[in-house]
Structure formats: structure tokens, C-alpha cells
Amino acid sequence: MGAGIAQAAAHNGFQVILCDVNTKATDNGRAIIQKSLARIAKKAHPESSSDQEALISSVFENISTTTDPAEAVTSADLVVEAIVENLKIKRDLFALLDRNAREKCIFASNTSSLSIREIAESCSKERRSSPQMKLVEVIKTPETSDETIESLLDVCNRLKKSPVNCNDTPGFIVNRLLVPYMFEAMKMVERGDATPADIDTAMKLGAGYPMGPLELADFVGLDTCNHILSGWREKVENGEENALTLEMVAESKTLTELVEAGKLGRKSGEGFFKY
């Protein structure tokens, strides 16, 4: 996800610093961008290899890499975090970034389910915070200034994206609707109502979806799905969230077993389906 965000920004003229945990990870990010740009360049200039190379080079001229997050944010105007979906790890990272970034640098998170306000608690009160997702969903907390929102909307528009606004509610818009849909499909499998293949076929042909809920869960990553479900369930059990119910966030035995077996979906080669 981070490589895709970096590519989109660099392709639209932004100077980007791609930061990851080690050089192997940053090299992998560059390789992902290279492969994606090669497809774009071939489509844009099918008859000219020199024009293809020029397009790819022009994007990479806007991208530098580092493994030092403190160095990466020293002169940044906008930080987009896209690390593991774990609240403590995100908080620790943002606390480090907060100590090293300029006061007016805007922090954004690519989280799919965690509370933006809770992530931002690790930052100073002066820090303006709002998330930006690939969709793009722009989420406003009570502490987020209108200036920050306008700045993010401007970035989204310059990236040729279509931003939507939402308050800091679990899952925001898309995942608030999509995640319960995927979990209900898992419950149907557990009850023996239908097979994964039949559930997905029904939703693709009957509802016009490009992929069924279980293929989608495999695509997202079953470990990520499990993180989301566990996080929501913890909030409900602790009385921190009234918009969700225990029934909605009940543990999925099938999901837990697949994750424990290392069957995480497409990235591991097997989940509800084999790839």
C-alpha cells in the first residue's frame, strides 16, 4: 500500500520520501513501483520504448528512499503512514515522527479500521491530524482543523482522486459497510449454509460485485481482517463503542483457524481459496 501511495504522489509531481524498516523493504517498494509504472508506460506509449523509459524515469526522479523515519519527516509537509494495522505500533511511530517533524506538517494514516483520534493521542496537542486512505476517505476528529481538511482535499484533488468526508467512526464509510459483509459470509460458511465458492459466485452474478466477499477477504489479508474484528470486539466489550454490537464482532472460528495455520489469503497463497 505504501508503494502505491508513493507512486501516485510522485506521478503527480510531489517530491516523495519512501521510508521503510530496512533497505530490502525499500528496494521491494521501488520494484513494485517499477512494475506498475512499466504497465502504465506501455499503455501510454505502446510504440515508443524511449517514451516509456522517460515516463518511468520522470516518476522516479520524484522518489527517494530512507530507513530513518526521523530523517524522512524533517522537511515534510505531509506524512502518510501505511504500516501494520496495530494501534500501539502506529502510536509509537507517530510519537517519533511528532518529535522530528515541523509543526505544520500534517500527519495522515492509511488505517482501515483504527480510531484516528486514538492514533493521534501519541502526538502533541498542536499537531494537526487527519487520515488519508487510497479511496480517498478523509476523516475528521473533533481536534482536526478545517485548514487541515482543506489541505488534504487539495492533495487528493492534485492526485486526481475523489475524496469523501467522514467522522471518526469505526471503519469509516467503506469498511464500516464492507467488513460486516465479509464477516457474515464467513459465518455462512461456518453454519454450513453455502460453500465459499457458491457464496462468492452468488454475489458476483447476483449483485454485480467484481469479487465475492471471501475472495475479497483473501485479497485484504485474513490476518488484517482478524485484527479489525478483534479491535472492534475489544471496544464493544469495554463499552467504548455503541455503534457496534457483540453479535456483529463475534469471533469467527474459521477465520481464527486459517490465520493460525498461516493461511492468510493471496499473500500466503491460500486462504478461503488457493492462489
Side-chain angles (χ1 to χ4, degrees):
M1 185 68 76
I5 295 170
Q7 177 187 326
H11 200 166
N12 286 278
F14 290 88
Q15 292 295 313
V16 177
I17 300 175
L18 180 63
C19 182
D20 215 320
V21 292
N22 52 48
T23 54
K24 182 179 179 180
T26 56
D27 287 347
N28 182 59
R30 289 182 65 90
I32 292 171
I33 295 171
Q34 173 72 36
K35 185 176 180 180
S36 175
L37 287 175
R39 291 194 300 267
I40 294 172
K42 187 173 182 179
K43 184 176 181 180
H45 306 288
E47 306 298 330
S48 175
S49 59
S50 61
D51 286 344
Q52 293 177 25
E53 292 174 3
L55 188 156
I56 294 171
S57 295
S58 69
V59 176
F60 274 111
E61 286 175 359
N62 292 332
I63 300 175
S64 59
T65 60
T66 182
T67 58
D68 184 348
E71 175 190 339
V73 302
T74 301
S75 60
D77 296 311
L78 171 66
V79 173
V80 182
E81 165 273 314
I83 62 173
V84 64
E85 195 74 347
N86 179 286
L87 180 60
K88 183 182 184 305
I89 295 175
K90 288 183 186 290
R91 278 178 169 172
D92 289 347
L93 174 62
F94 275 119
L96 170 65
L97 300 179
D98 187 56
R99 293 193 297 270
N100 291 277
R102 297 184 300 179
E103 181 181 347
K104 291 190 177 295
C105 177
I106 298 174
F107 285 180
S109 175
N110 193 57
T111 181
S112 57
S113 64
L114 299 175
S115 167
I116 296 302
R117 195 173 190 179
E118 291 181 10
I119 294 174
E121 285 176 355
S122 64
C123 299
S124 59
K125 291 183 179 180
E126 293 76 19
R127 178 69 58 193
R128 298 179 296 171
S129 179
S130 180
Q132 182 187 12
M133 297 179 68
K134 188 179 179 180
L135 316 159
V136 177
E137 289 177 311
V138 178
I139 314 305
K140 185 172 184 178
T141 74
E143 291 79 20
T144 309
S145 70
D146 291 338
E147 181 185 358
T148 297
I149 294 296
E150 290 302 317
S151 296
L152 285 170
L153 293 176
D154 178 62
V155 170
C156 294
N157 289 325
R158 290 175 62 188
L159 290 174
K160 299 181 176 64
K161 302 293 184 180
S162 298
V164 295
N165 294 291
C166 182
N167 289 331
D168 189 16
T169 186
F172 316 129
I173 299 174
V174 172
N175 281 324
R176 179 60 174 276
L177 299 173
L178 200 60
V179 170
Y181 160 68
M182 292 190 293
F183 289 149
E184 184 57 34
M186 296 176 194
K187 293 174 185 176
M188 291 186 71
V189 173
E190 291 177 2
R191 293 193 300 264
D193 296 339
T195 66
D198 284 345
I199 290 171
D200 276 21
T201 297
M203 293 310 296
K204 286 188 285 187
L205 299 182
Y209 289 5
M211 66 175 69
L214 299 173
E215 182 186 2
L216 178 60
D218 279 350
F219 182 82
V220 170
L222 299 186
D223 52 340
T224 299
C225 292
N226 203 35
H227 272 303
I228 294 172
L229 186 61
S230 298
W232 285 5
R233 184 167 56 252
E234 182 179 348
K235 282 183 172 296
V236 174
E237 291 175 345
N238 292 339
E240 300 172 8
E241 183 53 61
N242 297 322
L244 302 171
T245 66
L246 279 174
E247 183 180 1
M248 288 174 61
V249 298
E251 181 178 0
S252 167
K253 180 180 178 182
T254 301
L255 178 61
T256 300
E257 290 176 349
L258 286 170
V259 171
E260 290 178 349
K263 298 177 180 180
L264 309 180
R266 285 193 179 186
K267 59 186 173 184
S268 68
E270 183 176 356
F272 283 96
F273 302 99
K274 291 185 177 181
Y275 302 90

